[in-house]
Amino acid sequence: MVHAQDTGDKLPSLWRKALAIAATGLMLGGPAMAAPDAALQAAAQKEQAAVIESLRQMVLIESGSTDLEGLAAMARLIETRLQALGFKTERHKGTTAPGADIVVGTMKGTGKRSVMLQAHMDTVYEKGILKTQPWKIDGNRVYGPGIADDKGGISVMLHGLKLLQDRGWKDFATLTVLVNADEEIGSLGSGELISRLADQHDVVLSFEPNGAKAVSPHEFVLLGAAGTARATLTVKGRASHSGAAPEMGRNAILEISHQMIQTRDIGKTVPGIIHNWTNVISNKATNQIPELATAIGDVRITVPGAEKTFESSMRARLAASKLIPDTETLFEFELRRPAFLAGPKGAALARRAQAIYKELDRELLTLPMTGGGTDAGYAGRSGKAAVLESMGLAGYGYHARDEYIEIDSIVPRLYLTARMLIELGKD
Ligand SMILES: [Zn+2]
């Protein structure tokens, strides 16, 4: 697939990119302003309170990617909502551990085009997070773990569809809603289903979050996202009593530290790769020279194929030096989520979205690429469906602390979702 600008090596963060684009005015062609659908706009405004209530209900369900109980409660809530909208729902079991259910809703209409809407119900947070990061409304901000990523996306999807249901809109062949439960851990158990279903649709709209005003002057849609891979380093040393006979041991933690330090900048030397060591696991005993240590590295790929250079550079560097004699270092590299490249079909969708935002007299930015992975990569893998990402709410602090959404993004996002579906129905 052809794709665009900025797949360079030192990829700026999504946020800096948003600002850079705004500053240079680098946007897709400026569509003429048309009159808004006033009835839809008013309905979206009226729906805002219901969106906030849905957000509250979902935020109060903690649903970390391994929290099967919380994910089951989320699945029930989403399923009930979809059924109330007239969808037939089914569950698909995640094909890899922890195996939480994926909810899929389908509805048949009287039109020609098939559209899939997707979001995810899992969050990155540990159980108990609500104790330190509670639900809270403060001015234009609503706080809560997972509220932007991606409970805001689920809400926009469900309430956008509600606006269309209220109008009796049926201008589609098939409408599918997919909500998976393992996005934050790579979608290994749902990615194939996403790819398969996406291929049966003309268009896929993905509802990951947008940037809040703190980081982006306007809302945006996303046209590209990095693919992901995992680098795993394992060091085998030798266990020994750390007080009585430390000299008999071979310290796996010291060796893995050395290996992580000597390889920490390899990602920066390979264009199209972002690599960071993000996790270390070793033994729990404190009175033993550790015999085993594992380090996990998060790898993002913005230039397809760059991973081969990365892997060979990594292996060469690891072989270059050793700190602790008699230890053994193993390296494994596993490709995961495919990169998302919207291509010309996705860019055409983005122009449509910009025209719809113009009806509201709002700017809509287009981001060519981010280092964050997305399931839009699975949806667009074969290139059959046109895919657009970041239809969710404007928010901040996701995967961090004090995550929030901005209330004044709710109405434009509902309007965009409903108007986009109406426009697609006319094709
Ligand atoms: Zn997300």
Side-chain angles (χ1 to χ4, degrees):
M1 218 185 296
V2 182
H3 190 261
Q5 316 125 46
D6 203 329
T7 41
D9 54 344
K10 284 173 192 157
L11 198 80
S13 75
L14 188 150
W15 310 124
R16 261 176 283 136
K17 176 55 86 180
L19 288 168
I21 287 168
T24 56
L26 189 99
M27 291 171 55
L28 292 177
M33 185 172 167
D37 180 333
L40 184 66
Q41 205 180 354
Q45 188 64 56
K46 235 180 116 186
E47 196 69 15
Q48 179 175 295
V51 171
I52 295 172
E53 173 54 20
S54 290
L55 286 171
R56 190 185 68 84
Q57 290 176 18
M58 284 192 269
V59 164
L60 294 184
I61 301 170
E62 291 190 358
S63 58
S65 305
T66 57
D67 182 349
L68 289 174
E69 204 182 314
L71 291 168
M74 279 297 295
R76 280 195 298 277
L77 184 149
I78 293 161
E79 200 169 51
T80 308
R81 298 295 190 87
L82 285 173
Q83 286 164 359
L85 290 167
F87 282 84
K88 274 204 187 97
T89 60
E90 54 186 51
R91 303 272 192 110
H92 295 256
K93 245 204 154 8
T95 55
T96 56
D101 284 354
I102 304 148
V103 177
V104 178
T106 49
M107 185 160 33
K108 296 287 176 195
T110 54
K112 293 197 190 84
R113 301 264 284 188
S114 293
V115 182
M116 181 161 102
L117 299 88
Q118 67 177 23
H120 65 89
M121 64 177 100
D122 61 318
T123 76
V124 297
Y125 300 101
E126 300 278 339
K127 208 167 181 62
I129 183 73
L130 281 168
K131 287 191 200 93
T132 53
Q133 294 188 55
W135 163 266
K136 179 177 79 181
I137 300 181
D138 182 8
N140 189 40
R141 295 177 180 177
V142 187
Y143 290 84
I147 193 164
D149 185 13
D150 188 26
K151 292 174 178 182
I154 299 172
S155 301
V156 171
M157 222 165 56
L158 293 174
H159 289 273
L161 290 167
K162 171 76 166 51
L163 298 181
L164 293 170
Q165 184 201 33
D166 290 349
R167 294 187 149 209
W169 179 78
K170 284 274 171 198
D171 209 2
F172 53 90
T174 304
L175 213 49
T176 300
V177 173
L178 181 149
V179 187
N180 62 340
D182 60 350
E183 195 275 342
E184 299 292 5
I185 47 174
S187 305
L188 298 177
S190 61
E192 291 305 318
L193 178 69
I194 292 171
S195 292
R196 182 156 53 81
L197 289 182
D199 284 353
Q200 298 165 16
H201 294 76
D202 302 299
V203 172
V204 177
L205 303 176
S206 185
F207 285 76
E208 290 282 5
N210 250 268
K213 291 177 202 42
V215 284
S216 178
H218 303 287
E219 283 130 41
F220 55 76
V221 284
L222 184 66
L223 298 179
T228 59
R230 175 174 282 195
T232 306
L233 208 53
T234 305
V235 171
K236 292 178 184 167
R238 191 191 306 150
S240 180
H241 194 294
S242 55
E247 71 286 352
M248 300 296 287
R250 297 291 181 267
N251 194 320
I253 290 180
L254 284 180
E255 180 61 22
I256 208 161
S257 304
H258 167 71
Q259 294 296 355
M260 283 192 293
I261 289 167
Q262 76 163 343
T263 55
R264 72 190 153 168
D265 288 332
I266 286 184
K268 293 177 188 160
T269 67
V270 183
I273 293 288
I274 302 164
H275 163 253
N276 284 289
W277 294 116
T278 52
N279 204 336
V280 180
I281 306 154
S282 189
N283 71 341
K284 287 184 178 148
T286 53
N287 55 357
Q288 182 189 46
I289 299 298
E291 70 173 339
L292 200 65
T294 302
I296 294 169
D298 180 67
V299 182
R300 308 285 162 137
I301 305 146
T302 56
V303 176
E307 68 275 9
K308 293 186 189 75
T309 313
F310 171 76
E311 187 179 351
S312 55
S313 307
M314 180 65 85
R315 288 189 189 284
R317 186 75 64 84
L318 289 168
S321 89
K322 189 182 277 198
L323 182 71
I324 310 284
D326 309 328
T327 56
E328 188 189 356
T329 297
L330 305 167
F331 179 68
E332 280 172 277
F333 187 76
E334 180 198 4
L335 264 177
R336 299 186 141 205
R337 189 186 268 129
F340 165 52
L341 303 170
K345 282 194 281 189
L349 280 179
R351 282 194 293 276
R352 258 189 162 154
Q354 287 181 316
I356 292 168
Y357 251 51
K358 272 273 184 278
E359 296 172 5
L360 301 175
D361 203 14
R362 284 176 90 95
E363 295 292 342
L364 183 71
L365 303 175
T366 57
L367 297 198
M369 178 58 78
T370 165
T374 155
D375 285 340
Y378 282 113
R381 188 169 71 184
S382 73
K384 284 185 184 160
V387 184
L388 192 61
E389 176 58 282
S390 282
M391 295 286 289
L393 293 176
Y396 186 66
Y398 28 105
H399 297 210
R401 304 290 296 179
D402 298 326
E403 181 174 346
Y404 67 83
I405 60 100
E406 288 176 331
I407 293 174
D408 61 4
S409 70
I410 293 175
V411 172
R413 291 275 134 175
L414 289 178
Y415 185 86
L416 173 64
T417 301
R419 280 283 292 122
M420 180 66 95
L421 287 168
I422 291 168
E423 283 299 306
L424 291 170
K426 292 177 186 167
D427 286 352

